[in-house]
Amino acid sequence: MNRFLTLCIAALLCLPFFALPGHAQLAAAKDPANLNTALFNHTNLVAWCIVPFDAKKRGPEERAAMLENLGFKLFAYDYRAEHIPSFDAEIETLRRHHIQLLAWWFPTAMNDEARLILDLLKRHNLQPQLWVMGGGEATHGAKEQTARIVSEAARIRAIAEAAAQIHCTVALYNHGGWFGNPDNQIAIITLLRSQAVTNVGIVYNLHHGHDDLDRFPELLQRIKPYLVALNLNGMVREGDKHGQMVLPIGQGDLDLKLLRTIATSGWQGPIGILNHTDEDAETRLRQNLTGLDHLVTQLQQPTENPRHATDYWAVEDAREREKLPLYQEIPAAKPDELTPAQATPKPESFLIWHRSQGDNAGTRYSGLTQITCQNVKDLQVAWTYHSKDAAGNIQCNPIIANGVMFAPTPGKCIVAVNAATGEELWRFKPDGRPAFRGLIYWTGSNGISERVMFCAGRFLYALNPKTGHLLTDFGRDGRIELPGAAQGDFGAATAAPAIYDHTIIVPGFEKDVWAFDAVTGAHRWTFHTIPQPGEFGADTWDRLEHYGANCWAGMALDETRGIAFITTGSPKENFIGTRHLGQNLFANCLIALDARTGKRLWHFQEIRHDIWDLDIPAPPNLTTITRDGKRIDVVTAVTKIGNTLLLDRVTGKPIFPFRLRRAPTSDLPGEQTWPYQPDLELPQPFAKQDFTLADITDRSDEAHEYVLSKFKSSTTGWFRPFSEGKMNLFFGLLGGAEWTGACVDPTTGRLYVSANRIPWIISLFRDDDPPDDPHAPKTPGQVVYEQRCAACHGNNRIGIATCPPLRGLRHRMTDAAIVQQIRNGKNSMPGQPDITETDLKSLVDFLLLRDRPLPVSTEKSERPRYSFNGYNKFVDQDGYLASKPPWGTLNCIDLNTGKIAWRVPLGEHEELTKQGIKNTGTENLGGPIVTAGGLVFCAGTRDNKIRAFDKETGQELWSAKLPWTGTAPPATYEVNGQQFVVVAATGGGKLGTPTGDAYVAFALPARR
């Protein structure tokens, strides 16, 4: 900085400070060291980054009403060109809803648009802060820096002098580039104040301040004399480089520390809360408010003695775990505690297929008997429907009502198809992918019209089933916006809703369960699957989460008792438990809710603190079984690890003792595993979780040796936690059971479920290596790495398939250990004895980050930050699964006894059969249905077949080739006295088979 600017700064220090207008400051704390949590009162919060980013595209009235409902009193207005005509309406509406306009996003120069805004503000007698940004590349040398400061001060001066005419403050916005650097902003303001321009300050945004994190306490004190607003964000180190630039408050591992810095800084002005996403602004603002309130509660708690503070880097003590008893047991319900059967669905409900999963109970059972074990061999294609709008994966079990099939298409439409002929009757295209895994037909009642209801994108729709037109008396023109965030094609909800009386219940994809009036669309209740502060289960999380325990699997409904049953997924992030310590209710749970109120009646958790992505992936099934000679009502849920949760429907108590076994500890710094995990005896598991030496393929000697070499480099075992940088090998990520779920026969108490036996290999690594600079010249070590190592470990060093990651290697291996392994090899890694000493040294320096131009930070974050290397199937050298077959099975479990009645391979690799390797089964994602005709139908296998099995014995009785893989459970129905079986045959999905656009229906030959 030159002498002139230095003198300006010195002179400024002697000037009195003039408070910048725009917001009344809060009463200062007497002692700056004290926490001033009043800063975070909702009345001091500014809603920001709303207008252009709101997925709902609210207008002024809707936006102001939303802000008022959320409790905001302050608003910072940002806009795009299309919003200019509504400027006056925006201001008038904010006043009507008692919202103060604190700030206005302002042009970067005094142009016509800037003058229009100033005239508008003068006309309305408003004096908001005017937030101005800039840019520019870094300067080189003092002369260029001085010139930049002078030119930028001149630009800002023109704005500031015009703003002063209406008593407005200009705030420099840290939006990146040279201008966004707070040090440069202070230099600009210093120069302006020396020129008697005193209405310029700084608005500081944490989401643009990732580079300032290490110096934030000192920086805040430096900018505080100029600060007019401070905007919060969820913060993780280098979040701007890892796709986490904008996070909800409370999801960043630095948030509590940053809030404490702000609360003790002496800052007394407004605090901003961001939307800045393409999500619904109300949802994101609410997330931020909830997260902030949770953090403030933590701030207000007495500071822990450092000796007793939580050490988020601690490693568990295996010796302490071994002192625990080997088993725990949740006792089975006593005979007098079992609920007598009274809620079996009406018999006629088994003759229709009005909801994906067959009925509200999720039985996928049909009482139709025309197709039997004796005549199923005569089944033939009755019709094939092609949507002709795209080729892609369909995962929806279609529904049939009044002779019409309703189903989604790969082109993201809903179609009505004549269920007897396959002729299309109408189609409707919503916003988003419709009926991802289900939809429902409702007959209506008491003069209320019938309707087809489904979710797509952010919305729940209601259509007239005869015309395909929106029912405009539902919600707003036939649809309502769901409260949850929409995630790509999954939308806000994937599973089929269910209807109780006039209430439609919708499980959310990211979390939560919602209920609405099925007639009007009015919201009735919400159940939080991740409990909010003060709710039951909130203390099972050590920090507030906004995604997890999600209800993507689905639900079932006891229509007689008015109980909704929900299954949930794992906590997030998958595989990395250090950010969600605790038992994590209601993740991995089967939950019973009062359908009228959303009140939790009971819950049952399978896996505690799931760090393996082993969700309960399937919708529940309601059925009736016989115990001790009595018929009792139960609910079941099949799981990824092959368990069948079997519980009393009213009390949630297990029918058989639920055994838990002492689980292994983790050697991963920061992980805190749950001490017990499920180890069921009954019902007998239909799949397994741990991969052992005995599971290695015997397809050929070569395949066995190849897999064995990889196995020796892996960690394995029952509920084995991950170790840093090592491959962890286990079953279950695609089942056991999957979203395709099970079906039940309520007349016999038997359950049928298709299952996978796919080994997976996942690696975790410490993810605090600095990002590679693609523009930097390659170091000698990088050149050696790309020549000798990248083919297996990838140019990004995160590992390919079964090869482990090398990122974070400096945390787990010494120079000597690395040199030895490169020279001599280990397990499946070949040695490289020919590498020169020079190349070896360069390679080691590259792997340990010693050849970088900048030093690697050694400062510890509050918690370790890990990443994983993707979802990698464990396969042999020919691409077949590395485990012994069968790789896919169809299973029958007698729920009355808990015993597996039969198990058969599902699917065939025809090329292996020709080699004499039979009964392998294949990966499958289809799911079965069961009928009163004695049959189980199931598709979903790699060989593109649909099959029929004898439900008593498992004998395959019939199969037919589909044009593409059958990708959802079939449905069966009757039209004009003829029974049909229909299945979506579109291929694709997680099996990765070729894609198409078909629904194929089968029937017996027409009677003559």
Side-chain angles (χ1 to χ4, degrees):
M1 191 174 293
N2 66 12
R3 185 171 180 272
F4 169 72
L5 288 175
T6 303
L7 291 173
C8 288
I9 295 173
L12 182 65
L13 293 176
C14 300
L15 293 174
F17 171 69
F18 297 97
L20 295 167
H23 179 68
Q25 294 190 334
L26 297 170
K30 292 181 179 179
D31 180 358
N34 289 342
L35 283 169
N36 180 14
T37 55
L39 271 176
F40 310 118
N41 291 348
H42 288 196
T43 54
N44 191 50
L45 301 181
V46 188
W48 167 233
C49 282
I50 308 297
V51 181
F53 303 99
D54 183 6
K56 196 171 181 179
K57 302 300 180 187
R58 291 173 172 86
E61 176 61 38
E62 288 182 299
R63 184 158 43 249
M66 172 194 72
L67 295 173
E68 185 178 31
N69 290 337
L70 290 172
F72 283 99
K73 300 296 182 185
L74 306 172
F75 179 49
Y77 183 72
D78 51 344
Y79 69 95
R80 298 294 183 265
E82 64 266 24
H83 301 111
I84 293 176
S86 62
F87 278 175
D88 285 290
E90 193 82 41
I91 291 172
E92 291 163 2
T93 307
L94 289 171
R95 279 179 170 153
R96 195 164 56 250
H97 286 272
H98 314 291
I99 307 293
Q100 178 187 339
L101 185 64
L102 178 92
W104 195 290
W105 183 253
F106 201 74
T108 57
M110 274 307 301
N111 53 26
D112 289 344
E113 193 171 297
R115 283 184 279 272
L116 181 150
I117 294 169
L118 292 178
D119 289 343
L120 172 85
L121 297 175
K122 181 178 180 180
R123 189 169 68 251
H124 286 277
N125 193 27
L126 292 172
Q127 296 83 38
Q129 302 169 8
L130 305 178
W131 292 358
V132 179
M133 61 173 284
E137 298 295 326
T139 57
H140 302 283
K143 185 176 180 179
E144 186 180 347
Q145 173 74 358
T146 300
R148 181 76 60 81
I149 292 169
V150 171
S151 65
E152 285 296 275
R155 175 176 69 91
I156 297 300
R157 178 171 182 164
I159 298 172
E161 289 178 339
Q165 298 299 312
I166 61 170
H167 309 291
C168 282
T169 301
V170 174
L172 310 187
Y173 191 97
N174 64 318
H175 199 284
W178 180 92
F179 183 85
N181 185 313
D183 297 313
N184 295 331
Q185 293 178 343
I186 291 172
I188 293 169
I189 295 170
T190 299
L191 179 55
L192 289 171
R193 289 192 178 183
S194 74
Q195 299 168 354
V197 179
T198 59
N199 65 326
V200 180
I202 292 174
V203 53
Y204 187 81
N205 299 267
L206 281 176
H207 69 290
H208 287 300
H210 286 85
D211 291 340
D212 300 331
L213 287 173
D214 290 334
R215 63 171 186 149
F216 182 71
E218 177 268 335
L219 176 65
L220 182 55
Q221 291 304 315
R222 290 194 63 222
I223 65 174
K224 194 174 66 174
Y226 317 100
L227 200 60
V228 297
L230 176 57
N231 296 332
L232 302 181
N233 180 54
M235 297 296 288
V236 297
R237 193 171 297 280
E238 296 185 342
D240 55 333
K241 298 179 178 69
H242 297 282
Q244 296 176 301
M245 179 176 175
V246 178
L247 288 176
I249 299 168
Q251 286 198 18
D253 56 13
L254 302 175
D255 293 359
L256 188 62
K257 180 180 178 181
L258 290 169
L259 253 63
R260 188 177 297 279
T261 298
I262 295 166
T264 57
S265 68
W267 167 242
Q268 301 166 44
I271 296 290
I273 299 291
L274 301 178
N275 171 36
H276 208 307
T277 67
D278 292 328
E279 300 176 9
D280 171 27
E282 181 175 3
T283 300
R284 178 49 73 96
L285 289 172
R286 199 179 293 279
Q287 287 179 342
N288 276 314
L289 291 172
T290 303
L292 180 60
D293 290 347
H294 181 65
L295 291 173
V296 169
T297 300
Q298 292 179 265
L299 280 177
Q300 291 170 335
Q301 294 172 354
T303 304
E304 295 183 29
N305 184 323
R307 294 183 180 182
H308 303 290
T310 301
D311 180 2
Y312 292 110
W313 288 79
V315 176
E316 292 185 303
D317 188 340
R319 293 170 299 179
E320 287 298 314
R321 178 70 55 85
E322 289 171 1
K323 295 176 183 178
L324 298 175
L326 182 59
Y327 293 107
Q328 287 184 346
E329 185 177 276
I330 301 173
K334 299 175 183 177
D336 61 354
E337 294 176 322
L338 296 173
T339 301
Q342 66 175 27
T344 300
K346 300 172 184 177
E348 57 267 27
S349 71
F350 294 131
L351 302 177
I352 56 179
W353 207 276
H354 284 182
R355 177 178 178 266
S356 298
Q357 310 303 326
D359 51 27
N360 275 337
T363 61
R364 293 212 306 250
Y365 169 80
S366 173
L368 296 175
T369 58
Q370 187 178 98
I371 303 172
T372 67
C373 292
Q374 289 69 42
N375 62 23
V376 68
K377 64 182 184 300
D378 299 323
L379 275 186
Q380 58 188 30
V381 174
W383 53 260
T384 299
Y385 167 78
H386 291 281
S387 67
K388 300 179 181 179
D389 54 4
N393 176 245
I394 291 294
Q395 299 181 12
C396 181
N397 174 232
I399 62 173
I400 299 90
N402 303 319
V404 178
M405 180 184 80
F406 302 95
T409 72
K412 300 183 180 180
C413 292
I414 290 287
V415 292
V417 175
N418 184 316
T421 66
E423 175 190 4
E424 183 177 314
L425 304 176
W426 55 253
R427 68 171 50 205
F428 170 82
K429 190 172 182 64
D431 292 333
R433 176 173 174 171
F436 195 107
R437 287 181 183 148
L439 68 169
I440 189 170
Y441 165 82
W442 187 44
T443 58
S445 63
N446 299 325
I448 299 168
S449 60
E450 62 180 343
R451 56 199 60 199
V452 171
M453 305 186 78
F454 59 89
C455 298
R458 307 192 315 272
F459 301 99
L460 171 64
Y461 287 83
L463 300 185
N464 182 321
K466 292 184 173 61
T467 65
H469 296 158
L470 289 163
L471 293 172
T472 55
D473 57 349
F474 177 79
R476 176 174 293 185
D477 298 325
R479 69 183 191 178
I480 61 170
E481 185 166 5
L482 296 169
Q487 196 178 115
D489 272 354
F490 293 115
T494 53
I499 297 177
Y500 174 72
D501 194 12
H502 289 166
T503 299
I504 183 166
I505 302 168
V506 181
F509 176 74
E510 284 202 347
K511 62 172 185 172
D512 296 345
V513 186
W514 316 296
F516 308 92
D517 188 305
V519 180
T520 68
H523 178 262
R524 288 193 165 171
W525 53 257
T526 293
F527 173 78
H528 296 125
T529 55
I530 298 180
Q532 301 299 292
E535 295 180 345
F536 177 89
D539 59 350
T540 66
W541 302 77
D542 75 320
R543 57 189 294 161
L544 193 66
E545 297 290 339
H546 296 284
Y547 172 38
N550 45 340
C551 315
W552 61 272
M555 65 169 296
L557 177 70
D558 185 326
E559 297 172 330
T560 302
R561 298 184 175 94
I563 303 176
F565 298 92
I566 313 292
T567 46
T568 61
S570 60
K572 302 295 180 287
E573 306 165 74
N574 291 326
F575 312 119
I576 302 165
T578 54
R579 292 173 56 84
H580 52 82
L581 303 177
Q583 186 179 349
N584 303 144
L585 292 176
F586 298 97
N588 303 82
C589 280
L590 174 54
I591 311 166
L593 304 176
D594 186 324
R596 306 164 188 84
T597 65
K599 177 184 177 183
R600 180 184 59 88
L601 303 176
W602 55 259
H603 71 275
F604 193 94
Q605 189 174 37
E606 184 196 24
I607 298 174
R608 285 84 165 145
H609 186 61
D610 178 5
I611 56 173
W612 302 272
D613 190 18
L614 297 174
D615 318 88
I616 301 180
N621 315 98
L622 308 186
T623 192
T624 303
I625 66 172
T626 301
R627 291 291 292 162
D628 299 321
K630 298 178 181 178
R631 299 282 285 166
I632 61 169
D633 283 339
V634 296
V635 55
T636 73
V638 290
T639 77
K640 280 188 176 182
I641 59 174
N643 287 335
T644 303
L645 305 185
L646 181 61
L647 310 172
D648 183 276
R649 207 182 296 179
V650 173
T651 67
K653 293 185 177 181
I655 302 304
F656 299 101
F658 192 89
R659 188 175 74 173
L660 299 159
R661 195 202 322 174
R662 187 181 66 224
T665 55
S666 174
D667 57 17
L668 195 70
E671 182 56 83
Q672 297 177 23
T673 58
W674 202 253
Y676 287 92
Q677 297 295 359
D679 185 30
L680 271 61
E681 295 177 295
L682 293 175
Q684 290 177 327
F686 55 88
K688 61 179 297 190
Q689 186 258 348
D690 57 320
F691 188 105
T692 68
L693 186 64
D695 293 308
I696 292 177
T697 181
D698 56 4
R699 187 180 64 83
S700 69
D701 291 342
E702 294 79 11
H704 181 87
E705 289 304 314
Y706 177 89
V707 171
L708 179 62
S709 69
K710 303 287 186 181
F711 176 86
K712 289 177 180 178
S713 300
S714 305
T715 59
T716 61
W718 179 83
F719 282 101
R720 173 65 162 83
F722 297 92
S723 291
E724 189 175 339
K726 292 189 176 181
M727 301 178 292
N728 195 21
L729 177 57
F730 58 101
F731 290 108
L733 292 183
L734 205 59
E738 247 297 331
W739 60 266
T740 50
C743 59
V744 289
D745 187 334
T747 66
T748 64
R750 287 190 166 190
L751 175 145
Y752 303 86
V753 58
S754 52
N756 285 307
R757 196 165 183 262
I758 305 170
W760 298 83
I761 200 150
I762 308 292
S763 297
L764 257 60
F765 57 93
R766 187 93 62 87
D767 192 19
D768 56 2
D769 287 3
D772 295 327
D773 182 357
H775 304 295
K778 293 181 181 180
T779 65
Q782 184 177 358
V783 173
V784 176
Y785 175 85
E786 291 178 354
Q787 292 172 347
R788 291 180 174 266
C789 311
C792 293
H793 299 281
N795 285 329
N796 57 9
R797 307 190 309 284
I798 67 170
I800 297 174
T802 58
C803 299
L806 299 181
R807 285 181 66 86
L809 191 66
R810 68 189 191 280
H811 298 303
R812 59 183 188 266
M813 289 187 76
T814 64
D815 288 53
I818 295 171
V819 167
Q820 181 179 4
Q821 189 158 329
I822 292 172
R823 286 282 192 204
N824 302 328
K826 186 176 180 181
N827 296 324
S828 61
M829 174 182 166
Q832 301 192 40
D834 61 321
I835 189 170
T836 67
E837 287 294 333
T838 300
D839 282 355
L840 181 58
K841 183 181 184 305
S842 297
L843 177 57
V844 173
D845 285 343
F846 173 75
L847 293 174
L848 298 181
L849 310 186
R850 292 196 294 245
D851 59 354
R852 301 298 194 273
L854 296 175
V856 177
S857 173
T858 58
E859 181 187 350
K860 277 189 176 182
S861 57
E862 181 197 31
R863 306 176 191 225
R865 188 172 72 235
Y866 300 102
S867 291
F868 70 99
N869 67 334
Y871 288 79
N872 301 297
K873 292 178 185 175
F874 189 20
V875 296
D876 66 20
Q877 76 280 9
D878 296 322
Y880 293 104
L881 293 174
S883 57
K884 289 177 181 174
W887 298 315
T889 60
L890 181 64
N891 306 268
C892 172
I893 302 169
D894 187 337
L895 300 177
N896 306 289
T897 64
K899 300 291 184 68
I900 292 177
W902 52 259
R903 174 188 290 131
V904 295
L906 180 62
E908 177 187 31
H909 285 278
E910 295 176 353
E911 70 281 7
L912 292 181
T913 300
K914 292 176 183 178
Q915 298 172 25
I917 305 172
K918 301 179 180 179
N919 301 321
T920 61
T922 76
E923 300 167 76
N924 62 92
L925 285 172
I929 66 171
V930 60
T931 75
L935 295 166
V936 174
F937 289 94
C938 191
T941 51
R942 283 191 173 278
D943 56 11
N944 292 5
K945 289 184 178 181
I946 180 172
R947 292 173 165 83
F949 301 84
D950 185 322
K951 73 178 185 180
E952 295 298 325
T953 65
Q955 179 185 357
E956 184 177 321
L957 302 176
W958 167 86
S959 68
K961 198 84 168 180
L962 297 168
W964 295 279
T965 307
T967 50
T972 186
Y973 59 93
E974 187 177 75
V975 179
N976 300 326
Q978 187 172 27
Q979 183 181 354
F980 294 80
V981 176
V982 64
V983 65
T986 61
K990 291 187 176 180
L991 294 187
T993 54
T995 55
D997 67 344
Y999 285 86
V1000 183
F1002 298 87
L1004 295 172
R1007 299 172 184 172
R1008 297 175 182 252

